[in-house]
Amino acid sequence: MKVIAMVLAFLLNCTFANKEVAKKNKKSKLYAPQIECDIKAARIMNPEFIAKCPPGCQDAKYRVYGTDIYASFSSVCGAAIHSGIIDKSGGKILVQKVSGQSGYKGSYSNGIRSLSLPRWRESFIVSEGKPKKGVQYPSILDYSSVKSPSVKGGTSLRREYLTTASPLPDTQIVTSIPKPTIMTREFVSTTLKPTALPTTVPTTVTTKVMMVATSKHQHAMHKVRDIGSSHVHPAYSSVEAVASRQIQAVQGRIQNQAFRSTSSYASNRNIPRMNAGIQRQEPIASFRKPASSTVNLATETDLWKPGSSLFDTGFSSKEDLVPKPLEPVSQGNPNCKVDLSFLIDGSWSIGKRRFQIQKQFLKNVAQALDIGVAGPLMGIIQYGDEPSTEFNLKTYSNSKDLKNAIEKILQKGGLSNVGRALSFVNKNFFDDSNGNRGGAPNVAIVMVDGWPTDKVEEASRLARESGINIFFVTIEGPDENEKQNVIEPNFVDKAVCRTNGYYSINVPSWFSLHKIVQPLVKRVCDSDRLMCSKTCINSADIGFVIDGSSSVGTGNFRTILQFVANISKEFEISDTDTRIGAVQYTYEQRLEFSFDKYSTKQDVLNAIKRINYWSGGTSTGAAINYAFEQLFSKSKPNKRKIMILITDGRSYDDVRGPATAAHHNGIIAYSIGIAWAAQDELEAIATDPDREHSFFVDEFDSLYRFVPRIIQNICTEFNSQPRN
């Protein structure tokens, strides 16, 4: 009885231990992928995810825009610290993407100063990193860029799996020429079983053939096995020779018959052919000159490689033996690199005939644009009651395929809800996942038959402020009697960013639509005129005028350069976006680099670091004249010219005359004074109103405080520009 009691106790303990282990397994923690401090929410494509932030993300270089709800180009971990979800030691956070906001208010919280922003297309909120019930969170985050950051330990966050068809482990492939002795072959079915070689030679030599036709390509190849040994007993040598000659004769007849049947092969597609132990149905129009000997037939198995199809080798037509030159595929017009969305009218009012005319117009535009990865890319959205994407930017990369796809578009019907379509484009179409390239301007061309059945002004404004350049093509507008039915009078002027006729084309008749193909393409491809795709951070030529006088000193000069770099970081820098230039002055002036010198943000930041301290006097007025002549005179006409002058003392010459001349030439001037700078000179240099463009600090180390205010003022001023 004691033994039984002990056994029962042991079993109960084991059961209890197993339950505890099971409970622990059930409560196993969710793996949260780690992200770096500089990762912005816009780079992560997952709409909701849990991630782990490292320590140290409170640094001011990790920019945050907004309060509670943050713009998507904010640092995710910086926003988490700002909102109080984690502290500077890091931790797990839950991130949810939400729609763009009409404005983001900056604030100071938990040691982080967030910046203000007028508008942005996407936002996110941060909460405690606890999973919601019933929600599965990704263990690997999906990044929009090609090269993703890696998790500690070297594991990539983005994994790509290469799938290669290959033989199963027990598959054997004949890759060597058989010896002259007779070999017993079996043609086996797709059920692969290991077969042991016989240990003794049979009394009768048999050639056993099971012909099995393969009806489908399989990832695992049929097994080909050679049964027998080169060490055959001498008594059987004569019998083997006879059998060998008989097999060769049969193979020769089959091969000759196949070779002679070239002209009539199409009607005899299923002639079986022995091919190194594999029997299959030949594909249509797949004929190859037969091997001249059984040795060649045996070595044909060398053509089978892991990952190849059973139909990749074998017969081929005579025409295939002569290589045909491939038609060159255009990479697109490099002088017209835009991401283009056509919003086509699919409402019932347009009718079937005019819908066909509209499709022909789209095909003509696609041909004229020269679609390609190095040039313009084009997607199409059809709208009626609701908008829907016919295909996005990355679906087709040449004009020929795009035109074929346009021809297959079917009319949706419904009303003409243009405003709803523009909202759809703003929120969904120009995403990285849909092929948006970032460096190319976003353009939306809206086709309207008559007039919209909803309001477009607000939707257009939000789309423009998200960086989308809107063109309207209106056909057969309302006559005098129909204007009373228009919901929003003058809807075109309210929708486009300039009312000078450049962004809108009115066509009196559908049958005249073909005449505007070239004018429209020319406007779309003129990137210097695409001001509507510009925002406050990608539309300026910014010239820094830096005091390098003796009173500054080497250490303080490096602090000024850091201030210049911190401002530059906030802008999108490229040939077509914001450009940066710099001038250093003392008694004399020196152009450190011009606007067209560097076209990437990193190159600009590196150039700022390389500026050497000059030392000398302080001739600020001469420096302003020099900056205008050597820097801003070469600014592009469509760029906002912004001068940011930094000085630590009173000028030896007059600043009012040069500053007034700069203002009259369209330069927006900001003045930043340190220590002994003269307040009256700072106000004279700055564009009115002074309080928005002139700043003063007592110490060089306090310069960083003005970065958010300067960026905010630049953006506020941009969004208040007149629209005509």
Side-chain angles (χ1 to χ4, degrees):
M1 293 296 292
K2 288 183 178 180
V3 174
I4 294 173
M6 291 175 66
V7 170
L8 289 173
F10 176 75
L11 292 174
L12 288 172
N13 285 335
C14 291
T15 303
F16 178 77
N18 289 336
K19 287 182 178 179
E20 289 300 312
V21 171
K23 287 180 180 179
K24 289 181 180 179
N25 290 337
K26 285 182 180 179
K27 295 181 180 180
S28 59
K29 293 183 178 179
L30 171 74
Y31 172 73
Q34 181 161 312
I35 58 177
E36 300 303 324
C37 298
D38 61 348
I39 293 298
K40 299 176 181 178
R43 282 194 58 198
I44 301 175
M45 298 175 63
N46 307 85
E48 185 172 346
F49 59 90
I50 291 178
K52 186 176 181 181
C53 292
C57 295
Q58 77 280 4
D59 196 295
K61 66 182 179 181
Y62 307 123
R63 294 297 177 194
V64 177
Y65 297 84
T67 301
D68 296 330
I69 299 178
Y70 302 94
S72 63
F73 64 98
S74 302
S75 162
V76 174
C77 296
I81 297 175
H82 183 269
S83 62
I85 303 302
I86 60 174
D87 57 22
K88 62 183 180 181
S89 61
K92 289 184 181 179
I93 58 172
L94 172 61
V95 179
Q96 294 173 279
K97 299 283 188 72
V98 295
S99 60
Q101 303 295 304
S102 58
Y104 299 86
K105 186 177 181 181
S107 64
Y108 183 83
S109 177
N110 300 309
I112 289 184
R113 168 70 66 182
S114 68
L115 306 179
S116 298
L117 192 71
R119 288 186 181 275
W120 197 248
R121 68 173 68 181
E122 185 183 51
S123 312
F124 69 98
I125 56 176
V126 189
S127 56
E128 191 176 354
K130 292 182 178 180
K132 297 178 183 177
K133 188 175 181 180
V135 179
Q136 279 193 330
Y137 297 94
S139 59
I140 298 175
L141 300 180
D142 191 9
Y143 284 80
S144 60
S145 60
V146 175
K147 186 177 181 182
S148 299
S150 58
V151 182
K152 290 183 178 179
T155 305
S156 174
L157 287 177
R158 177 184 285 253
R159 298 179 179 175
E160 296 181 0
Y161 299 94
L162 180 64
T163 305
T164 306
S166 58
L168 294 174
D170 61 341
T171 303
Q172 299 174 354
I173 302 176
V174 177
T175 58
S176 60
I177 301 174
K179 297 185 178 182
T181 55
I182 185 68
M183 294 180 293
T184 302
R185 298 179 181 271
E186 281 192 3
F187 295 83
V188 298
S189 66
T190 55
T191 304
L192 303 179
K193 296 180 181 179
T195 305
L197 295 176
T199 56
T200 60
V201 179
T203 57
T204 303
V205 178
T206 306
T207 302
K208 182 180 179 184
V209 179
M210 294 173 58
M211 295 186 175
V212 182
T214 59
S215 59
K216 267 185 189 177
H217 164 56
Q218 303 290 338
H219 284 289
M221 290 184 183
H222 291 226
K223 183 186 296 181
V224 180
R225 295 183 283 114
D226 287 343
I227 304 177
S229 173
S230 59
H231 303 289
V232 182
H233 195 280
Y236 304 114
S237 59
S238 60
V239 180
E240 292 170 353
V242 172
S244 178
R245 287 195 296 272
Q246 290 175 347
I247 290 174
Q248 293 178 22
V250 172
Q251 290 173 336
R253 286 196 297 273
I254 293 173
Q255 294 161 11
N256 291 334
Q257 179 183 355
F259 184 71
R260 288 193 300 269
S261 63
T262 305
S263 60
S264 60
Y265 185 73
S267 61
N268 297 279
R269 300 185 181 105
N270 298 323
I271 297 175
R273 171 179 177 267
M274 273 191 288
N275 183 5
I278 297 178
Q279 176 67 28
R280 62 188 173 85
Q281 297 283 347
E282 295 293 345
I284 296 175
S286 177
F287 185 77
R288 190 171 108 172
K289 186 175 180 180
S292 58
S293 68
T294 55
V295 173
N296 288 337
L297 284 171
T299 58
E300 279 184 7
T301 52
D302 289 342
L303 298 173
W304 301 110
K305 303 292 183 185
S308 65
S309 168
L310 294 175
F311 290 172
D312 287 344
T313 61
F315 292 127
S316 62
S317 64
K318 285 184 176 180
E319 290 79 2
D320 291 343
L321 299 177
V322 180
K324 296 179 180 178
L326 296 174
E327 293 183 9
V329 178
S330 172
Q331 295 298 303
N333 179 6
N335 297 319
C336 184
K337 190 173 181 180
V338 296
D339 289 342
L340 174 63
S341 168
F342 257 99
L343 282 69
I344 63 171
D345 192 340
S347 63
W348 292 129
S349 66
I350 192 175
K352 292 183 178 180
R353 184 181 181 187
R354 289 181 290 185
F355 189 76
Q356 286 299 123
I357 296 174
Q358 182 177 218
K359 291 201 299 183
Q360 184 59 50
F361 172 73
L362 294 177
K363 291 193 290 183
N364 293 342
V365 170
Q367 185 66 41
L369 283 170
D370 187 11
I371 300 296
V373 293
L377 294 178
M378 177 174 158
I380 292 180
I381 291 171
Q382 183 181 174
Y383 68 87
D385 291 334
E386 298 290 339
S388 63
T389 302
E390 297 292 342
F391 40 83
N392 60 36
L393 294 168
K394 66 181 181 181
T395 308
Y396 300 104
S397 58
N398 62 76
S399 295
K400 180 180 178 182
D401 292 344
L402 181 60
K403 288 162 63 179
N404 291 336
I406 291 170
E407 185 58 39
K408 297 175 183 177
I409 295 176
L410 301 177
Q411 186 177 0
K412 287 170 57 71
L415 301 174
S416 297
N417 290 331
V418 177
R420 191 170 295 178
L422 283 167
S423 297
F424 178 82
V425 170
N426 185 28
K427 294 176 182 178
N428 302 291
F429 188 82
F430 290 107
D431 287 336
D432 294 340
S433 58
N434 291 331
N436 183 44
R437 292 173 289 184
N442 295 157
V443 178
I445 300 177
V446 186
M447 307 279 294
V448 183
D449 173 52
W451 60 89
T453 53
D454 64 350
K455 293 187 176 182
V456 303
E457 182 178 11
E458 180 66 11
S460 297
R461 183 179 64 81
L462 293 175
R464 291 196 314 271
E465 291 182 358
S466 294
I468 301 174
N469 196 347
I470 299 176
F471 286 80
F472 263 72
V473 177
T474 54
I475 307 98
E476 297 181 1
D479 58 27
E480 290 300 322
N481 295 327
E482 293 172 326
K483 285 183 178 179
Q484 60 184 355
N485 300 323
V486 178
I487 293 177
E488 194 173 25
N490 301 319
F491 66 90
V492 173
D493 286 345
K494 295 176 181 178
V496 297
C497 68
R498 297 288 184 274
T499 56
N500 57 7
Y502 186 82
Y503 298 95
S504 60
I505 301 177
N506 179 258
V507 184
S509 168
W510 279 96
F511 301 102
S512 304
L513 192 59
H514 65 279
K515 296 179 181 179
I516 71 164
V517 171
Q518 291 300 331
L520 180 62
V521 168
K522 185 177 179 181
R523 296 183 190 188
V524 168
C525 294
D526 188 356
S527 59
D528 287 341
R529 297 286 299 274
L530 294 183
M531 278 298 292
C532 295
S533 65
K534 298 300 179 182
T535 65
C536 60
I537 60 174
N538 68 4
S539 60
D541 280 346
I542 302 177
F544 290 94
V545 182
I546 305 167
D547 186 349
S549 62
S550 302
S551 59
V552 174
T554 304
N556 290 333
F557 187 77
R558 305 315 301 177
T559 303
I560 290 176
L561 293 184
Q562 185 60 55
F563 171 73
V564 170
N566 288 342
I567 292 177
S568 301
K569 285 178 184 177
E570 300 300 323
F571 293 88
E572 296 177 6
I573 297 173
S574 76
D575 288 332
T576 57
D577 295 314
T578 292
R579 303 187 302 171
I580 305 292
V583 168
Q584 184 181 177
Y585 74 94
T586 57
Y587 283 126
E588 301 177 282
Q589 304 83 34
R590 182 169 72 197
L591 180 64
E592 299 293 351
F593 54 89
S594 59
F595 291 133
D596 58 359
K597 181 70 172 177
Y598 302 108
S599 59
T600 69
K601 183 178 294 187
Q602 192 57 53
D603 287 344
V604 167
L605 296 178
N606 291 339
I608 293 170
K609 289 180 182 178
R610 291 194 298 267
I611 296 177
N612 293 318
Y613 176 47
W614 204 355
S615 184
T618 309
S619 295
T620 306
I624 295 172
N625 283 333
Y626 181 87
F628 173 72
E629 294 169 0
Q630 300 298 322
L631 199 58
F632 290 103
S633 63
K634 299 175 177 60
S635 183
K636 291 185 177 180
N638 66 319
K639 298 288 187 181
R640 298 170 67 231
K641 297 185 282 290
I642 299 175
M643 179 179 71
I644 301 177
L645 186 143
I646 307 135
T647 182
D648 80 326
R650 181 174 289 278
S651 176
Y652 295 165
D653 60 357
D654 176 61
V655 300
R656 288 170 177 77
T660 302
H663 299 161
H664 288 166
N665 282 282
I667 296 176
I668 302 169
Y670 287 81
S671 60
I672 292 91
I674 311 128
W676 301 280
Q679 188 65 40
D680 60 323
E681 289 185 349
L682 295 177
E683 292 175 358
I685 294 168
T687 297
D688 291 332
D690 298 341
R691 59 186 178 82
E692 300 292 338
H693 298 87
S694 179
F695 306 92
F696 178 84
V697 291
D698 293 325
E699 298 178 350
F700 286 87
D701 290 341
S702 299
L703 276 173
Y704 73 93
R705 296 177 181 173
F706 289 129
V707 172
R709 285 186 60 186
I710 292 171
I711 301 299
Q712 181 179 359
N713 289 353
I714 289 173
C715 285
T716 301
E717 199 165 43
F718 174 87
N719 287 293
S720 64
Q721 291 181 109
R723 293 178 52 245
N724 49 22

